[in-house]
Amino acid sequence: MRLPLLLLLSTALPAFAAGPLTTEAERSGFTHTGRYAEVEALCEAFAARYPKAVRCLDFGTTPQGRPMKALAASTSGALDPESARREGLPVVLVQGGIHAGEIDGKDAGFLALREVLEGKAAAGALDRQVLLFVPVFNVDGHERFGAWNRPNQRGPVEMGWRTTAQNYNLNRDYLKADAPEMQAMLALVNEWDPLAVVDLHATNGAQFEHDIAIQVEPLHAGDPALRAIGRQWRDAVIADLSEQGSLPLPFYPSFEVYDDPSSGFSDSVAPPRFSTGYFWMRNRLAMLVETHSWRTYPERVRSTRNTVVSVLEQIAEHGQAWQRAARAADLAASQPDPSPAPLSFAASDKVRTIDFRGYAYTREPSEISGALMTRYDEKTPQVWQVPLRDDVQPSLTVSRPGAGYLVPAEHAAFVAGKLRLHGLVFHELGAVDETAVQSFRAGSKTFGATPVEGHQRLTVVGEWAADRVALGGGALFVPIRQPRSRVVMALLEPQAPDSLLAWGWFNNHFEAKEYMEAYVAEAVAREMLAADPALREAFEKRLAEDAAFAASPSDRLGFFYRRHPSYDQSLDRYPVLRVDSDPR
């Protein structure tokens, strides 16, 4: 039976107050990790031990009723957002347990925080910044505790689960923000406006010697000055880790071809459902830390702790300058920009060969799966020479709207809710007389065959075209000239990979609701052919050149239905519009 929280805290706090602020992980030699009650107790205990340097706060409640805890730490005395802003201190958000089975970050973060406060690491770093530490983001998942929750990982003995109690993967939820936990996190982010966010994970994947990967954005994407800072930050942390005996990588080590080491690796920019794909759009720094799951838990916690300490040292040294660059990026993103906006990225065809520290392996047919199976020999280190594609370029760009987007009244309430979650500026309009707009119609559409995160995704291809509309009162105007203009486009551009459209929120507009019976269409087609020789010529040409069309009765009848006045002209038309002038 689980003890009441107050009883747990009343028994745990005196022990922490009298002794070292250690975790169960430390006390067990990093074979085990503690339950969430330990996080709650340690949060209060750090604040009690260091009342002028640590504040314990709740920033949300999970669907199962648990508090979401964060620790604000700074020896400057700035322990709330207003004080941090007033003092001009950069804030760094370090979060563990977004995937609660990959729990290295919780234990490493508490270890790093204690050592910094004791003066044993990053001396003086907290004088010049605020650390906002979230030990466990996915709290309910953390309490789905078990020994086999991470079969691809060495230790701890038991750990939490990847997804939330509602089965959301929080690291697929930054932009769409379905989960209550993500909504709470975004509120925390909007309140504190961290300069840098560090997201602590452990990988899945193959077996090799490299123990940690560090990826940063902006680096391939975003404001030019912040991209240079992102590279500087990443390289400095990697250098620190190397000096401490790690073998860090600057890319996520997932093979191009599943389970085939010879296929090598590609780098890219994650879409904004991921942490590192989201924060660069806010003109802030994000770091993805991935320890290698096949390293032991003590090794993984140590390398994660070293990363957190290095981050604090870098922010202490450069945070003021980097913060000025972030503010300048906010201003630049609020100005008119005639250049195309990138919506997604991919590695180009440029390939270079790298030395990669793996193990000897064989690939043989499996009598179990029937596929090739890779077996690694961890007793035999081996340097692989493998291809790396790390020349990352935009793979889809679109023009930017001159002024912004119009959301019609029938979708305003839902869209406004999403905009508020991201701290975006918008305005409710009265009636809008007929005005020039751009509307988007899909030339092709593909609905997802299987659900993703509870959604049926939709991919469209099409173009914006000049149009004129009048709107009743209650529509929204979302200006593009605001600091988070990239987030605006990520949400509202229909072809963006994590847009509201892509996640299926507008699927109804791409589903045919009215139709023409086949026997009616037959008669209509004959009338149209008799009345329009050019149409007859186009139909016969299509029959001759398109075998699939010629073999499809429905496509042949649809040829005429789409040209008939009864056809639904709003089908496949995205309801959100673009405008080049402010409609207010």
Side-chain angles (χ1 to χ4, degrees):
M1 185 177 79
R2 186 172 180 181
L3 293 172
L5 174 59
L6 287 177
L7 178 58
L8 281 169
L9 290 177
S10 67
T11 57
L13 275 172
F16 282 127
L21 298 171
T22 56
T23 60
E24 181 176 341
E26 286 185 83
R27 295 190 298 274
S28 69
F30 297 98
T31 59
H32 293 71
T33 191
R35 301 297 292 266
Y36 192 67
E38 179 183 67
V39 171
E40 297 174 77
L42 274 172
C43 188
E44 299 291 350
F46 267 92
R49 179 74 64 85
Y50 298 100
K52 295 183 178 180
V54 179
R55 174 182 164 219
C56 176
L57 57 99
D58 290 7
F59 67 95
T61 302
T62 72
Q64 291 185 336
R66 296 182 177 91
M68 300 177 71
K69 291 288 189 180
L71 294 85
S74 179
T75 46
S76 72
L79 298 178
D80 59 72
E82 295 75 18
S83 299
R85 279 190 283 273
R86 185 172 58 250
E87 299 298 324
L89 292 175
V91 176
V92 56
L93 169 60
V94 175
Q95 71 178 30
I98 190 172
H99 295 151
E102 307 166 24
I103 205 57
D104 314 14
K106 176 192 67 175
D107 293 320
F110 275 126
L111 174 60
L113 176 59
R114 190 188 74 234
E115 291 181 341
V116 172
L117 289 168
E118 291 174 346
K120 296 178 180 178
L126 289 180
D127 294 344
R128 288 168 282 173
Q129 67 191 297
V130 180
L131 167 63
L132 194 60
F133 174 43
V134 176
V136 180
F137 185 178
N138 176 15
V139 177
D140 289 343
H142 185 279
E143 291 305 277
R144 185 178 167 180
F145 220 60
W148 287 101
N149 287 349
R150 289 280 292 165
N152 308 311
Q153 179 176 295
R154 285 183 177 142
V157 171
E158 292 181 295
M159 71 289 288
W161 188 254
R162 183 177 184 84
T163 56
T164 70
Q166 296 176 326
N167 212 34
Y168 284 115
N169 183 337
L170 291 175
N171 204 28
R172 305 296 185 273
D173 200 40
Y174 274 90
L175 194 64
K176 63 184 177 66
D178 287 336
E181 294 94 333
M182 182 57 73
Q183 294 169 15
M185 177 61 75
L186 290 174
L188 184 74
V189 166
N190 289 336
E191 184 181 20
W192 284 86
D193 189 19
L195 168 67
V197 177
V198 182
D199 189 9
L200 304 173
H201 290 250
T203 65
N204 288 307
Q207 292 176 295
F208 43 75
E209 288 194 294
H210 295 279
D211 60 327
I212 193 167
I214 304 293
Q215 289 179 278
V216 167
E217 290 297 338
L219 193 150
H220 299 299
D223 178 84
L226 290 182
R227 289 171 68 171
I229 288 169
R231 185 175 296 276
Q232 175 189 358
W233 186 35
R234 182 200 68 180
D235 292 351
V237 171
I238 284 177
D240 284 347
L241 291 172
S242 296
E243 288 180 5
Q244 295 171 90
S246 280
L247 296 172
L249 293 167
F251 56 86
Y252 188 89
S254 179
F255 297 137
E256 277 283 270
V257 178
Y258 178 72
D259 201 36
D260 182 0
S262 68
S263 66
F265 308 96
S266 283
D267 203 358
S268 191
V269 178
R273 72 192 71 168
F274 297 91
S275 59
T276 46
Y278 174 70
F279 283 100
W280 71 265
M281 293 184 172
R282 295 177 67 119
N283 306 312
R284 299 298 181 264
L285 302 166
M287 175 179 288
L288 175 66
V289 179
E290 293 273 3
T291 57
H292 185 34
S293 61
W294 289 108
R295 288 297 184 106
T296 65
Y297 195 53
E299 291 175 301
R300 299 202 317 270
V301 171
R302 176 55 56 179
S303 60
T304 304
R305 173 265 178 206
N306 292 345
T307 302
V308 172
V309 170
S310 176
V311 163
L312 295 176
E313 291 173 337
Q314 293 300 317
I315 298 294
E317 182 176 356
H318 304 291
Q320 291 290 336
W322 292 356
Q323 190 157 259
R324 288 192 295 273
R327 302 297 180 218
D330 287 347
L331 182 61
S334 305
Q335 304 305 310
D337 187 348
S339 66
L343 298 181
S344 57
F345 298 80
S348 74
D349 292 334
K350 292 181 181 179
V351 180
R352 61 190 181 95
T353 300
I354 62 168
D355 290 340
F356 189 89
R357 290 181 57 166
Y359 297 108
Y361 67 91
T362 59
R363 301 196 76 216
E364 300 172 350
S366 167
E367 70 278 14
I368 304 298
S369 67
L372 283 177
M373 178 185 65
T374 305
R375 292 184 179 180
Y376 298 95
D377 177 6
E378 291 185 275
K379 296 179 180 179
T380 310
Q382 187 178 79
V383 176
W384 304 339
Q385 289 194 320
V386 295
L388 173 65
R389 297 167 61 222
D390 60 353
D391 176 50
V392 178
Q393 300 294 335
S395 56
L396 176 64
T397 61
V398 297
S399 64
R400 306 168 200 263
Y405 297 87
L406 290 178
V407 181
E410 59 268 26
H411 294 292
F414 161 72
V415 174
K418 294 295 185 184
L419 298 174
R420 288 190 187 98
L421 286 170
H422 298 285
L424 299 174
V425 176
F426 62 93
H427 309 280
E428 185 173 336
L429 302 175
V432 177
D433 295 333
E434 183 175 295
T435 187
V437 300
Q438 292 178 334
S439 62
F440 181 95
R441 187 179 295 276
S444 67
K445 59 189 177 184
T446 305
F447 291 98
T450 58
V452 179
E453 292 292 300
H455 293 260
Q456 183 187 31
R457 285 180 53 84
L458 173 62
T459 302
V460 296
V461 177
E463 294 181 351
W464 294 98
D467 205 346
R468 296 190 67 82
V469 300
L471 296 173
L476 305 180
F477 171 57
V478 188
I480 194 65
R481 297 181 188 178
Q482 56 178 300
R484 297 169 193 161
S485 58
R486 293 180 177 92
V487 180
V488 171
M489 295 192 72
L491 283 168
L492 297 180
E493 275 298 321
Q495 296 179 101
D498 284 329
S499 67
L500 297 178
L501 180 147
W503 280 107
W505 292 108
F506 296 108
N507 280 7
N508 254 349
H509 291 271
F510 298 85
E511 301 171 11
K513 306 294 186 178
E514 189 55 272
Y515 62 96
M516 182 182 286
E517 296 282 5
Y519 71 90
V520 176
E522 289 278 359
V524 165
R526 284 174 170 76
E527 293 173 2
M528 293 173 70
L529 287 170
D532 189 343
L535 180 65
R536 177 181 292 276
E537 182 180 352
F539 179 60
E540 291 174 349
K541 185 173 187 290
R542 183 80 181 274
L543 287 174
E545 295 178 352
D546 188 339
F549 173 79
S552 172
S554 62
D555 287 352
R556 289 168 69 155
L557 293 177
F559 178 90
F560 299 98
Y561 177 43
R562 284 190 292 274
R563 290 163 172 79
H564 192 266
S566 64
Y567 185 71
D568 180 6
Q569 294 301 316
S570 68
L571 179 63
D572 296 340
R573 178 176 170 175
Y574 179 44
V576 176
L577 306 166
R578 301 193 344 171
V579 288
D580 287 334
S581 59
D582 191 327
R584 290 174 292 170

